[in-house]
């Protein structure tokens, strides 16, 4: 294949997602319950990771066996639940950052309901401030909050050595629904969110240039989901 992505209509994307989800590992019953609850409670539930992304998180966590995980952007705690359940054997410590009081309350409900409080710590407030309160190193860092913050978060993490020597940073939504690549890249994007994602796209273009040019790291932008960047220290 000469290109790295297939061209999908929204209908094809839905069919492909359904097929991949069906033939991939199932997520846990608790994750399914939380996913359904979130969809029923929040108009912006599309901020939550999909079940296939949840299965990917579990796969990566069991593969990489991180001892400490940092997550920037908690929402209702779906990804935190995935990290928690996939690290039962290794008992990883999970720190998750969230700003919005409504989502803090929803996440705390998740952590209480599924008994996550022994290993998950929610740090409330703007991630830029919360990062400054952290010490030690993290083996896996999931960046999934405000898109204009990505460059600053990753720069801070690298400058302050918060990523362990073998650690991986995974940044989500780097395509900004396609707007990072070009404002013409996604004719299916609804008009009501186009301006929002166009702004995010500008910030993420800068983020991508930063990742490519920072001599300390290797990075790769994978055309999966809404674009996922993986970053590690250079060997
Ligand atoms: C895409 S959602 C996270 C989804 C979650 N990680 C998951 O996989 O289900 C992004 C979250 O980041 C939060 N957020 C936005 N800006 C933030 C900031 N400056 N600091 C901390 N959290 C922020 C939002 O309130 C939202 O809950």
């Amino acid at each position: 294949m000469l290109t790295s992505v297939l061209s999908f209509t929204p209908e094809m994307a839905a069919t492909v997602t359904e097929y991949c989800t069906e033939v991939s590992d199932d997520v846990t019953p608790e994750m399914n319950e939380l996913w359904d609850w979130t969809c029923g409670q929040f108009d912006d539930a599309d901020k939550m990771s999909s079940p296939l992304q949840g299965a990917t998180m579990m796969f990566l966590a069991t593969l990489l066996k991180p001892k400490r995980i940092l997550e920037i952007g908690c929402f209702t705690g779906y990804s935190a639940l995935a990290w928690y359940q996939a690290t039962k054997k290794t008992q990883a410590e999970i720190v998750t950052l969230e700003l919005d009081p409504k989502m803090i309350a929803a996440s705390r409900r998740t952590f209480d309901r599924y008994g996550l409080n022994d290993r998950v710590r929610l740090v409330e407030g703007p991630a830029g401030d919360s990062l400054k309160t952290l010490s030690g190193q993290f083996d896996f860092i999931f960046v999934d909050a405000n898109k204009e913050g990505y460059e600053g978060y990753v720069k801070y993490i690298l400058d302050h050595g918060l990523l362990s020597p073998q650690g991986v940073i995974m940044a989500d939504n780097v395509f900004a629904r396609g707007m990072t690549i070009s404002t013409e890249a996604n004719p299916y994007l609804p008009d009501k969110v186009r301006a929002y994602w166009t702004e995010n796209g500008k910030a993420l273009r800068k983020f991508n240039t930063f990742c490519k040019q920072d001599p300390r790291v290797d990075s790769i932008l994978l055309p999966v989901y809404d674009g996922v960047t993986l970053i590690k220290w250079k060997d």
Side-chain angles (χ1 to χ4, degrees):
M1 183 163 148
L2 295 178
T3 60
S4 297
V5 281
L6 299 174
S7 48
F8 292 139
T9 61
E11 292 74 24
M12 286 163 71
T15 308
V16 172
T17 301
E18 198 179 316
Y19 178 73
C20 292
T21 307
E22 188 187 311
V23 299
S24 298
D25 278 355
D26 292 325
V27 296
T28 64
E30 294 81 7
M31 287 173 68
N32 280 329
E33 186 185 81
L34 175 59
W35 205 83
D36 289 343
W37 179 82
T38 303
C39 290
Q41 292 287 320
F42 297 98
D43 290 342
D44 57 352
D46 70 328
K47 287 185 177 164
M48 176 174 54
S49 293
S50 69
L52 187 59
Q53 285 175 295
T56 308
M57 288 168 197
M58 296 193 80
F59 186 97
L60 287 175
T62 51
L63 175 73
L64 299 171
K65 300 186 178 28
K67 291 193 187 70
R68 290 187 90 209
I69 297 174
L70 170 64
E71 170 178 274
I72 307 180
C74 190
F75 197 53
T76 60
Y78 182 76
S79 43
L81 179 59
W83 304 130
Y84 183 92
Q85 293 197 309
T87 57
K88 273 193 180 139
K89 277 193 190 152
T90 49
Q91 292 285 296
E93 177 196 344
I94 298 149
V95 177
T96 180
L97 314 184
E98 178 57 54
L99 166 75
D100 182 341
K102 201 167 46 140
M103 305 327 300
I104 289 169
S107 300
R108 294 222 178 274
R109 173 200 170 274
T110 296
F111 301 158
D112 290 343
R113 181 172 177 82
Y114 301 111
L116 312 191
N117 290 309
D118 60 329
R119 286 195 285 122
V120 176
R121 181 163 68 92
L122 175 63
V123 184
E124 302 181 9
D129 293 346
S130 302
L131 277 175
K132 293 179 189 150
T133 70
L134 303 178
S135 55
Q137 295 192 318
F138 294 87
D139 310 299
F140 194 90
I141 300 180
F142 183 43
V143 182
D144 192 23
N146 52 322
K147 311 309 162 200
E148 78 282 3
Y150 278 29
E151 182 178 346
Y153 300 152
V154 170
K155 185 167 185 315
Y156 183 90
I157 287 163
L158 299 176
D159 288 351
H160 293 82
L162 289 182
L163 182 68
S164 70
Q166 302 304 321
V168 177
I169 300 174
M170 181 165 91
D172 199 15
N173 304 113
V174 176
F175 279 177
R177 306 294 195 261
M179 297 304 101
T180 306
I181 298 148
S182 150
T183 50
E184 311 299 313
N186 181 357
Y188 305 110
L189 189 65
D191 284 343
K192 64 176 189 221
V193 295
R194 187 165 279 275
Y196 168 76
W197 283 111
T198 299
E199 281 312 301
N200 284 335
K202 285 181 199 159
L204 290 165
R205 258 189 116 78
K206 255 187 97 244
F207 170 68
N208 291 337
T209 304
F210 163 78
C211 294
K212 173 89 179 172
Q213 292 182 347
D214 192 307
R216 297 171 292 181
V217 294
D218 291 321
S219 77
I220 182 159
L221 171 50
L222 296 172
V224 289
Y225 310 124
D226 188 21
V228 172
T229 293
L230 299 178
I231 301 166
K232 68 170 185 62
W233 295 113
K234 258 194 204 313
D235 275 342

